[in-house]
């Protein structure tokens, strides 16, 4: 739907973006989770997997050990941004959102400034912060955190920050819900 309101979640890997997105989706009626990386995964799978067996192996690896594919997906995403412009993935995600019948789209992987700008034009973007120690305890690696997609928004201003190192999962959800309600005048239905 063209008037779908968007809730974006930004933060480093392992900061709790997807966990928060699932909690919000379960709480907010007529909402669905979208990711800029959904199309990255689809396109990379199509490009690298030309047989049913290869597709099955890709899907299994993505489900069981996403970290092994992360560099491939990051490279594919960066290549497409370079070849077709920074908004390549934004346009694909916007098209998917507009073709949906949801009132709220929750984007769980806002990683670049242009993505943040797009989300804020249609709703709100929350930045999840977490201490480096906690990120490493949750499985982040130095190599992955050094990628441009992990660093582009590190020093960008966000009106809404939540430190996931200081709050448990439930309190992070409650804090996010309060900040979102403020943008949508308390209406999340």
């Amino acid at each position: 739907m063209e008037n779908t309101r968007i809730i974006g979640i930004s933060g480093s890997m392992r900061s709790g973006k997807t966990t928060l997105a699932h909690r919000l989706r379960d709480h907010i009626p007529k909402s669905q989770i979208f990711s800029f990386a959904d199309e990255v995964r689809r396109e990379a799978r199509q490009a690298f997997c030309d047989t049913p067996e290869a597709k099955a192996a890709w899907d299994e690896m993505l489900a069981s050990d996403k970290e092994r594919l992360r560099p491939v997906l990051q490279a594919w995403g960066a290549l497409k941004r370079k070849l077709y412009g920074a908004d390549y993935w934004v346009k694909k995600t916007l098209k998917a959102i507009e073709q949906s019948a949801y009132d709220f789209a929750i984007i769980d992987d806002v990683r670049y400034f242009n993505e943040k700008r797009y989300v804020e034009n249609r709703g709100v973007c929350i930045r999840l912060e977490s201490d480096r120690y906690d990120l490493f305890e949750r499985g982040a690696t130095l190599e992955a955190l050094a990628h441009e997609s992990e660093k582009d928004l590190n020093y960008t201003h966000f009106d809404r920050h939540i430190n996931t190192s200081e709050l448990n999962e439930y309190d992070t959800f409650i804090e996010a819900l309060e900040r979102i309600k403020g943008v949508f005048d308390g209406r999340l239905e």
Side-chain angles (χ1 to χ4, degrees):
M1 274 196 301
E2 214 169 294
N3 58 352
T4 302
R5 293 168 278 188
I6 298 177
I7 300 164
I9 305 171
S10 177
S12 296
M13 67 181 300
R14 307 286 190 221
S15 62
K17 298 181 303 294
T18 301
T19 301
L20 176 58
H22 282 90
R23 283 229 179 215
L24 291 171
R25 184 207 50 213
D26 293 345
H27 181 79
I28 301 170
K30 296 183 179 179
S31 65
Q32 181 58 35
I33 298 171
F34 294 84
S35 297
F36 292 116
D38 285 344
E39 284 299 321
V40 176
R41 286 187 286 270
R42 275 195 269 298
E43 280 194 15
R45 180 181 186 259
Q46 184 176 2
F48 295 117
C49 304
D50 58 352
T51 66
E53 295 81 15
K55 290 176 181 172
W58 177 277
D59 294 344
E60 171 63 28
M61 189 182 300
L62 195 58
S64 66
D65 190 7
K66 185 171 86 172
E67 295 311 310
R68 287 181 58 197
L69 285 178
R70 182 180 292 272
V72 173
L73 296 171
Q74 288 174 328
W76 189 262
L79 175 67
K80 290 294 186 130
R81 284 173 56 89
K82 183 177 181 177
L83 292 175
Y84 301 109
D87 288 338
Y88 181 78
W89 302 113
V90 170
K91 290 174 183 175
K92 288 195 168 272
T93 304
L94 175 59
K95 183 177 179 182
I97 290 170
E98 288 177 349
Q99 291 175 344
S100 76
Y102 297 101
D103 292 337
F104 289 91
I106 303 163
I107 300 177
D108 68 350
D109 64 345
V110 179
R111 296 185 179 279
Y112 291 98
F113 183 77
N114 65 307
E115 296 171 351
K116 175 183 180 281
R117 185 180 61 238
Y118 156 71
V119 167
E120 289 177 334
N121 285 337
R122 301 267 305 263
V124 60
C125 195
I126 295 171
R127 175 72 175 185
L128 299 184
E129 300 287 349
S130 194
D131 298 337
R132 287 277 180 179
Y133 176 80
D134 290 331
L135 294 176
F136 294 131
E137 285 288 311
R138 296 173 191 160
T141 65
L142 276 174
E143 182 181 4
L145 289 171
H147 189 269
E148 68 179 35
S149 66
E150 295 293 333
K151 300 186 308 185
D152 196 58
L153 292 176
N154 281 354
Y155 302 103
T156 302
H157 174 74
F158 283 81
D159 290 330
R160 291 154 190 87
H161 281 265
I162 299 172
N163 189 326
T164 62
S165 291
E166 297 172 356
L167 300 172
N168 63 36
E169 184 181 310
Y170 177 77
D171 290 337
T172 298
F173 162 70
I174 294 299
E175 183 75 20
L177 201 56
E178 289 304 313
R179 291 166 191 237
I180 293 166
K181 284 181 180 179
V183 172
F184 298 122
D185 298 324
R187 294 178 301 228
L188 290 176
E189 48 208 47

